[in-house]
């Protein structure tokens, strides 16, 4: 089942990245913003390979925590190495992707050492069962992400990038205080 889930996630990630790239190209005039959106959307590909859902389901939260820590550290170090000026801002999503690759790699190594190889396969019937069973959770995650991500997009469209940045910083501060 793990192979079927990963192959479905990869298929969806590629389709969504393609759709996001087409929409960004058609809708966003600013080249830097368009490039940033397309690069961040490419993060769907390594995210598809994350096995955090598997380890959480097995209640192996040490693996999930280690993966998140590796992601954060590698992302932070990558930003410090790659981004030195405003001209390097398009490298921020690259740093994000690097963090995800390391995180997914750690979980893949842990999976292989504990459970063996993963056989990814083309299995539309299994994908249908998986998608049907997980639709309520998927919808909840989608709605939750919209609560966080939609306001800065709307604010940026209506009031400009500076206002969207201020809102995002304020929102992150609120979330940090709530933790």
């Amino acid at each position: 089942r793990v192979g079927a889930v990963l192959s479905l996630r990869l298929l969806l990630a590629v389709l969504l990245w393609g759709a996001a790239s087409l929409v960004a190209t058609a809708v966003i005039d600013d080249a830097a913003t368009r490039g940033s959106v397309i690069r961040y959307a490419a993060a769907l590909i390594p995210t598809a390979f994350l096995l955090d859902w598997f380890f959480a389901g097995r209640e192996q939260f040490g693996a999930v925590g280690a993966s998140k820590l590796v992601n954060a550290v590698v992302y932070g170090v990558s930003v410090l190495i790659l981004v030195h000026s405003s001209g390097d801002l398009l490298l921020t999503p690259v740093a994000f992707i690097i963090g995800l690759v390391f995180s997914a790699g750690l979980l893949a190594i842990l999976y292989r050492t504990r459970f063996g190889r993963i056989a990814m396969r083309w299995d539309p019937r299994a994908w249908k069962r998986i998608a049907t069973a997980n639709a309520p959770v998927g919808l909840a995650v989608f709605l939750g992400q919209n609560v966080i991500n939609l306001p800065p997009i709307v604010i940026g469209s209506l009031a400009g990038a500076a206002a969207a940045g201020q809102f995002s910083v304020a929102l992150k501060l609120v979330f940090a205080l709530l933790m």
Side-chain angles (χ1 to χ4, degrees):
R1 182 155 176 121
V2 172
V5 170
L6 287 180
S7 61
L8 174 60
R9 287 171 56 113
L10 180 60
L11 175 67
L12 292 173
V14 169
L15 292 173
L16 289 170
W17 177 74
S21 298
L22 288 173
V23 169
T25 302
V27 173
I28 301 172
D29 293 329
D30 180 62
T33 303
R34 183 176 51 251
S36 182
V37 168
I38 291 170
R39 285 176 177 85
Y40 270 114
L44 288 166
I45 307 300
T47 300
F49 289 103
L50 280 173
L51 290 166
D52 53 346
W53 54 271
F54 173 82
F55 286 100
R58 305 243 343 165
E59 296 185 3
Q60 295 181 3
F61 297 111
V64 175
S67 169
K68 290 185 182 301
L69 179 64
V70 164
N71 185 7
V73 169
V74 172
Y75 174 45
V77 169
S78 297
V79 166
L80 291 174
I81 291 170
L82 297 173
V83 180
H84 300 286
S85 70
S86 61
D88 298 332
L89 287 179
L90 285 177
L91 295 175
T92 305
V94 173
F96 184 64
I97 290 169
I98 292 169
L100 286 169
V101 167
F102 274 81
S103 179
L106 171 65
L107 290 175
I109 290 167
L110 290 174
Y111 184 94
R112 183 169 178 150
T113 58
R114 296 177 187 178
F115 306 103
R117 296 182 69 109
I118 298 172
M120 288 189 41
R121 60 190 191 282
W122 181 268
D123 192 349
R125 271 196 245 138
W127 296 344
K128 184 178 179 188
R129 287 191 306 272
I130 292 165
T132 302
N134 291 289
V137 172
L139 180 61
V141 169
F142 175 76
L143 293 174
Q145 288 298 314
N146 276 311
V147 167
I148 294 169
N149 296 317
L150 189 58
I153 293 169
V154 172
I155 291 169
S157 298
L158 299 176
Q166 291 170 346
F167 173 83
S168 293
V169 168
L171 187 62
K172 285 178 181 26
L173 180 60
V174 168
F175 285 150
L177 293 172
L178 289 174
M179 285 192 296

